[in-house]
mmCIF file of all heavy atoms in Angstrom:
data_model
loop_
_atom_site.group_PDB
_atom_site.id
_atom_site.type_symbol
_atom_site.label_atom_id
_atom_site.label_comp_id
_atom_site.label_asym_id
_atom_site.label_seq_id
_atom_site.Cartn_x
_atom_site.Cartn_y
_atom_site.Cartn_z
ATOM 1 N N ALA A 6 3.264 15.135 -1.104
ATOM 2 C CA ALA A 6 4.128 14.382 -1.961
ATOM 3 C C ALA A 6 5.344 13.925 -1.128
ATOM 4 O O ALA A 6 5.683 14.538 -0.200
ATOM 5 C CB ALA A 6 4.542 15.325 -3.101
ATOM 6 N N ALA A 7 5.933 12.912 -1.596
ATOM 7 C CA ALA A 7 7.107 12.284 -0.953
ATOM 8 C C ALA A 7 8.285 12.082 -1.940
ATOM 9 O O ALA A 7 8.037 11.686 -3.110
ATOM 10 C CB ALA A 7 6.695 10.941 -0.262
ATOM 11 N N THR A 8 9.387 12.327 -1.449
ATOM 12 C CA THR A 8 10.679 11.980 -2.254
ATOM 13 C C THR A 8 11.723 11.566 -1.293
ATOM 14 O O THR A 8 11.695 12.059 -0.185
ATOM 15 C CB THR A 8 11.023 13.264 -3.085
ATOM 16 O OG1 THR A 8 12.188 13.009 -3.806
ATOM 17 C CG2 THR A 8 11.295 14.428 -2.214
ATOM 18 N N LYS A 9 12.613 10.789 -1.844
ATOM 19 C CA LYS A 9 13.863 10.360 -0.995
ATOM 20 C C LYS A 9 14.893 11.251 -1.339
ATOM 21 O O LYS A 9 16.009 11.161 -0.718
ATOM 22 C CB LYS A 9 14.153 8.943 -1.401
ATOM 23 C CG LYS A 9 13.227 7.909 -0.905
ATOM 24 C CD LYS A 9 13.755 6.412 -1.079
ATOM 25 C CE LYS A 9 12.860 5.427 -0.422
ATOM 26 N NZ LYS A 9 13.397 4.048 -0.663
ATOM 27 N N SER A 10 14.738 12.157 -2.231
ATOM 28 C CA SER A 10 15.725 13.179 -2.588
ATOM 29 C C SER A 10 15.675 14.341 -1.656
ATOM 30 O O SER A 10 14.483 14.819 -1.400
ATOM 31 C CB SER A 10 15.632 13.546 -4.075
ATOM 32 O OG SER A 10 16.532 14.634 -4.325
ATOM 33 N N GLY A 11 16.728 14.944 -1.174
ATOM 34 C CA GLY A 11 16.739 16.062 -0.484
ATOM 35 C C GLY A 11 17.014 17.293 -1.298
ATOM 36 O O GLY A 11 17.438 18.380 -0.709
ATOM 37 N N THR A 12 17.204 17.177 -2.619
ATOM 38 C CA THR A 12 17.598 18.262 -3.489
ATOM 39 C C THR A 12 16.320 18.741 -4.078
ATOM 40 O O THR A 12 15.561 18.111 -4.690
ATOM 41 C CB THR A 12 18.480 17.689 -4.556
ATOM 42 O OG1 THR A 12 19.707 17.157 -3.907
ATOM 43 C CG2 THR A 12 18.970 18.863 -5.421
ATOM 44 N N GLY A 13 16.193 20.093 -4.029
ATOM 45 C CA GLY A 13 15.111 20.833 -4.691
ATOM 46 C C GLY A 13 13.700 20.453 -4.127
ATOM 47 O O GLY A 13 12.799 20.034 -4.974
ATOM 48 N N PRO A 14 13.510 20.599 -2.870
ATOM 49 C CA PRO A 14 12.268 20.176 -2.232
ATOM 50 C C PRO A 14 11.111 21.016 -2.629
ATOM 51 O O PRO A 14 9.911 20.726 -2.358
ATOM 52 C CB PRO A 14 12.517 20.301 -0.720
ATOM 53 C CG PRO A 14 13.647 21.265 -0.597
ATOM 54 C CD PRO A 14 14.471 21.072 -1.731
ATOM 55 N N THR A 15 11.285 22.190 -3.270
ATOM 56 C CA THR A 15 10.299 23.076 -3.758
ATOM 57 C C THR A 15 9.889 22.720 -5.122
ATOM 58 O O THR A 15 8.936 23.462 -5.693
ATOM 59 C CB THR A 15 10.733 24.481 -3.630
ATOM 60 O OG1 THR A 15 11.787 24.779 -4.509
ATOM 61 C CG2 THR A 15 11.091 24.839 -2.137
ATOM 62 N N THR A 16 10.577 21.950 -5.823
ATOM 63 C CA THR A 16 10.198 21.453 -7.207
ATOM 64 C C THR A 16 9.455 20.221 -7.376
ATOM 65 O O THR A 16 9.717 19.160 -6.819
ATOM 66 C CB THR A 16 11.583 21.320 -7.945
ATOM 67 O OG1 THR A 16 12.438 22.454 -7.801
ATOM 68 C CG2 THR A 16 11.311 21.037 -9.410
ATOM 69 N N THR A 17 8.372 20.282 -8.087
ATOM 70 C CA THR A 17 7.383 19.170 -8.279
ATOM 71 C C THR A 17 8.063 17.969 -8.791
ATOM 72 O O THR A 17 7.733 16.847 -8.361
ATOM 73 C CB THR A 17 6.247 19.589 -9.116
ATOM 74 O OG1 THR A 17 6.721 19.956 -10.464
ATOM 75 C CG2 THR A 17 5.483 20.771 -8.502
ATOM 76 N N ARG A 18 9.008 18.093 -9.720
ATOM 77 C CA ARG A 18 9.612 16.947 -10.349
ATOM 78 C C ARG A 18 10.486 16.055 -9.564
ATOM 79 O O ARG A 18 10.731 14.961 -9.891
ATOM 80 C CB ARG A 18 10.386 17.426 -11.651
ATOM 81 C CG ARG A 18 11.581 18.212 -11.319
ATOM 82 C CD ARG A 18 12.362 18.563 -12.627
ATOM 83 N NE ARG A 18 13.695 19.141 -12.373
ATOM 84 C CZ ARG A 18 14.578 19.569 -13.349
ATOM 85 N NH1 ARG A 18 14.327 19.134 -14.580
ATOM 86 N NH2 ARG A 18 15.646 20.136 -13.063
ATOM 87 N N VAL A 19 10.868 16.569 -8.423
ATOM 88 C CA VAL A 19 11.635 15.706 -7.558
ATOM 89 C C VAL A 19 10.844 14.700 -6.731
ATOM 90 O O VAL A 19 11.393 13.688 -6.117
ATOM 91 C CB VAL A 19 12.512 16.474 -6.538
ATOM 92 C CG1 VAL A 19 13.355 17.497 -7.318
ATOM 93 C CG2 VAL A 19 11.710 17.205 -5.462
ATOM 94 N N TYR A 20 9.544 14.834 -6.759
ATOM 95 C CA TYR A 20 8.612 14.063 -5.929
ATOM 96 C C TYR A 20 8.053 12.969 -6.896
ATOM 97 O O TYR A 20 7.435 13.184 -7.874
ATOM 98 C CB TYR A 20 7.509 14.863 -5.345
ATOM 99 C CG TYR A 20 7.981 15.774 -4.266
ATOM 100 C CD1 TYR A 20 8.240 17.095 -4.656
ATOM 101 C CD2 TYR A 20 8.049 15.463 -2.959
ATOM 102 C CE1 TYR A 20 8.733 18.038 -3.702
ATOM 103 C CE2 TYR A 20 8.558 16.326 -2.028
ATOM 104 C CZ TYR A 20 8.872 17.517 -2.335
ATOM 105 O OH TYR A 20 9.356 18.395 -1.421
ATOM 106 N N GLY A 21 8.220 11.672 -6.340
ATOM 107 C CA GLY A 21 7.784 10.546 -7.087
ATOM 108 C C GLY A 21 6.444 9.977 -6.594
ATOM 109 O O GLY A 21 5.907 9.172 -7.302
ATOM 110 N N TYR A 22 6.032 10.437 -5.431
ATOM 111 C CA TYR A 22 4.797 9.859 -4.854
ATOM 112 C C TYR A 22 3.926 10.889 -4.462
ATOM 113 O O TYR A 22 4.359 11.922 -3.804
ATOM 114 C CB TYR A 22 5.127 8.951 -3.606
ATOM 115 C CG TYR A 22 6.163 7.903 -3.904
ATOM 116 C CD1 TYR A 22 7.487 8.187 -3.693
ATOM 117 C CD2 TYR A 22 5.798 6.690 -4.573
ATOM 118 C CE1 TYR A 22 8.443 7.133 -3.952
ATOM 119 C CE2 TYR A 22 6.735 5.718 -4.867
ATOM 120 C CZ TYR A 22 8.033 5.957 -4.621
ATOM 121 O OH TYR A 22 9.014 5.053 -4.847
ATOM 122 N N TRP A 23 2.653 10.861 -4.788
ATOM 123 C CA TRP A 23 1.704 11.864 -4.541
ATOM 124 C C TRP A 23 0.398 11.399 -3.871
ATOM 125 O O TRP A 23 -0.136 10.287 -4.195
ATOM 126 C CB TRP A 23 1.357 12.622 -5.785
ATOM 127 C CG TRP A 23 2.453 13.355 -6.477
ATOM 128 C CD1 TRP A 23 3.376 12.820 -7.264
ATOM 129 C CD2 TRP A 23 2.686 14.766 -6.384
ATOM 130 N NE1 TRP A 23 4.347 13.849 -7.645
ATOM 131 C CE2 TRP A 23 3.838 14.986 -7.004
ATOM 132 C CE3 TRP A 23 2.028 15.727 -5.654
ATOM 133 C CZ2 TRP A 23 4.479 16.262 -7.162
ATOM 134 C CZ3 TRP A 23 2.603 17.053 -5.750
ATOM 135 C CH2 TRP A 23 3.779 17.305 -6.487
ATOM 136 N N GLY A 24 -0.136 12.207 -3.011
ATOM 137 C CA GLY A 24 -1.488 11.889 -2.442
ATOM 138 C C GLY A 24 -2.597 12.259 -3.420
ATOM 139 O O GLY A 24 -2.279 12.753 -4.500
ATOM 140 N N GLN A 25 -3.817 11.992 -3.116
ATOM 141 C CA GLN A 25 -4.958 12.134 -4.017
ATOM 142 C C GLN A 25 -5.420 13.635 -3.912
ATOM 143 O O GLN A 25 -6.232 14.052 -4.868
ATOM 144 C CB GLN A 25 -6.065 11.200 -3.660
ATOM 145 C CG GLN A 25 -5.760 9.694 -3.902
ATOM 146 C CD GLN A 25 -5.358 9.480 -5.346
ATOM 147 O OE1 GLN A 25 -6.144 9.861 -6.212
ATOM 148 N NE2 GLN A 25 -4.238 8.932 -5.500
ATOM 149 N N GLY A 26 -5.000 14.424 -3.108
ATOM 150 C CA GLY A 26 -5.442 15.809 -2.913
ATOM 151 C C GLY A 26 -6.625 16.051 -1.943
ATOM 152 O O GLY A 26 -7.456 15.085 -1.766
ATOM 153 N N ALA A 27 -6.562 17.176 -1.369
ATOM 154 C CA ALA A 27 -7.643 17.585 -0.514
ATOM 155 C C ALA A 27 -8.086 18.955 -0.928
ATOM 156 O O ALA A 27 -7.231 19.888 -1.014
ATOM 157 C CB ALA A 27 -7.145 17.615 0.966
ATOM 158 N N GLN A 28 -9.374 19.205 -1.028
ATOM 159 C CA GLN A 28 -9.920 20.465 -1.501
ATOM 160 C C GLN A 28 -10.000 21.353 -0.388
ATOM 161 O O GLN A 28 -10.570 21.003 0.735
ATOM 162 C CB GLN A 28 -11.347 20.245 -2.106
ATOM 163 C CG GLN A 28 -12.028 21.560 -2.489
ATOM 164 C CD GLN A 28 -11.237 22.265 -3.728
ATOM 165 O OE1 GLN A 28 -11.088 21.586 -4.768
ATOM 166 N NE2 GLN A 28 -10.851 23.482 -3.497
ATOM 167 N N VAL A 29 -9.443 22.559 -0.509
ATOM 168 C CA VAL A 29 -9.537 23.509 0.469
ATOM 169 C C VAL A 29 -10.137 24.793 -0.151
ATOM 170 O O VAL A 29 -9.708 25.309 -1.238
ATOM 171 C CB VAL A 29 -8.218 24.045 1.020
ATOM 172 C CG1 VAL A 29 -8.225 25.280 1.914
ATOM 173 C CG2 VAL A 29 -7.509 22.896 1.768
ATOM 174 N N THR A 30 -11.312 25.145 0.418
ATOM 175 C CA THR A 30 -12.057 26.315 -0.139
ATOM 176 C C THR A 30 -12.178 27.362 0.911
ATOM 177 O O THR A 30 -12.661 27.137 1.973
ATOM 178 C CB THR A 30 -13.419 25.956 -0.626
ATOM 179 O OG1 THR A 30 -13.272 24.968 -1.584
ATOM 180 C CG2 THR A 30 -14.219 27.111 -1.264
ATOM 181 N N VAL A 31 -11.737 28.520 0.685
ATOM 182 C CA VAL A 31 -11.812 29.626 1.642
ATOM 183 C C VAL A 31 -12.669 30.754 1.082
ATOM 184 O O VAL A 31 -12.437 31.356 0.011
ATOM 185 C CB VAL A 31 -10.416 30.302 1.876
ATOM 186 C CG1 VAL A 31 -10.562 31.364 2.972
ATOM 187 C CG2 VAL A 31 -9.437 29.200 2.290
ATOM 188 N N SER A 32 -13.759 30.979 1.743
ATOM 189 C CA SER A 32 -14.755 31.988 1.324
ATOM 190 C C SER A 32 -14.369 33.334 1.858
ATOM 191 O O SER A 32 -13.837 33.519 2.914
ATOM 192 C CB SER A 32 -16.128 31.628 1.830
ATOM 193 O OG SER A 32 -16.303 31.541 3.227
ATOM 194 N N ALA A 33 -14.691 34.359 1.143
ATOM 195 C CA ALA A 33 -14.368 35.694 1.523
ATOM 196 C C ALA A 33 -15.339 36.088 2.711
ATOM 197 O O ALA A 33 -16.449 35.706 2.946
ATOM 198 C CB ALA A 33 -14.634 36.655 0.355
#
């Protein structure tokens, strides 16, 4: 995700742009 804001970088709502996602699967 990308945001031009430097406030609250751990909060989802500050991000206005998102990638499509990448699946990560870790087997035991």
Side-chain angles (χ1 to χ4, degrees):
T8 179
K9 288 187 176 181
S10 174
T12 302
T15 65
T16 305
T17 59
R18 67 177 181 174
V19 307
Y20 294 91
Y22 307 97
W23 294 84
Q25 295 300 307
Q28 178 68 53
V29 172
T30 302
V31 184
S32 62

